[in-house]
Amino acid sequence: MHYYTDVLKKYVDFSGRARRQEFWMFFLFNTAALIIVAILDAVLTTSPLLYLIYALATFLPNLGVSVRRLHDQGKSGWFILVAFIPLVGWIWAIVLMATEGHPNPNQYGPSPKAVHA
C-alpha cells in the first residue's frame, strides 16, 4: 500500500527515477480503486461522476510515476506519448514500463534499485 501513497505524495514530481515495482504496484492499486469507484458509482446511480473525479485526481500522479519509470531506463518523459500511436502504441508503452531500468546512475539520478537495496 505504501507504493500507492508514496506516488500520491510525489503528486507532480516528474524528476528522478521509479522502479518497476513502484510503477506496477501503483498501477495495481489504482486499477483496483477505479473498479471500486465505478461499482460505487453504479450503486449510487451517480455514474460516471465519482469515477471521473477519482480519475482526474490521480491523473498527475499516474503521469509522474510513468515519466519517472521512463527516466529509470534513460529515456525522456516524452516517450509516454508512444501510447498514442494507433494500434501498437499501447503495446510499446507496456513494454517500456516492463523493461528493467539501468543499474547505474544516469542523467536522471541514481538507480532507485541501488538506493533501496
Side-chain angles (χ1 to χ4, degrees):
M1 184 68 171
H2 70 87
Y3 291 106
Y4 181 77
T5 56
D6 287 350
V7 170
L8 292 179
K9 287 177 188 174
K10 298 177 188 175
Y11 198 74
V12 288
D13 184 10
F14 295 99
S15 62
R17 297 167 64 172
R19 293 178 68 179
R20 282 184 295 182
Q21 185 176 18
E22 178 182 4
F23 174 81
W24 288 109
M25 291 304 287
F26 177 77
F27 180 83
L28 175 70
F29 283 115
N30 195 43
T31 302
L34 280 168
I35 291 169
I36 291 168
V37 170
I39 292 169
L40 186 61
D41 241 353
V43 169
L44 297 174
T45 64
T46 58
S47 190
L49 181 65
L50 296 177
Y51 183 88
L52 287 175
I53 291 171
Y54 179 80
L56 285 173
T58 58
F59 175 75
L60 287 177
N62 194 3
L63 184 61
V65 75
S66 298
V67 167
R68 290 192 312 273
R69 180 72 209 115
L70 290 167
H71 285 176
D72 191 39
Q73 300 165 30
K75 295 183 178 3
S76 168
W78 289 104
F79 266 81
I80 197 71
L81 297 176
V82 157
F84 294 110
I85 296 173
L87 303 175
V88 296
W90 64 275
I91 296 169
W92 191 4
I94 290 172
V95 169
L96 284 173
M97 296 304 163
T99 304
E100 186 173 2
H102 293 263
N104 300 321
N106 63 20
Q107 70 262 29
Y108 300 105
S111 171
K113 201 170 201 176
V115 172
H116 288 100

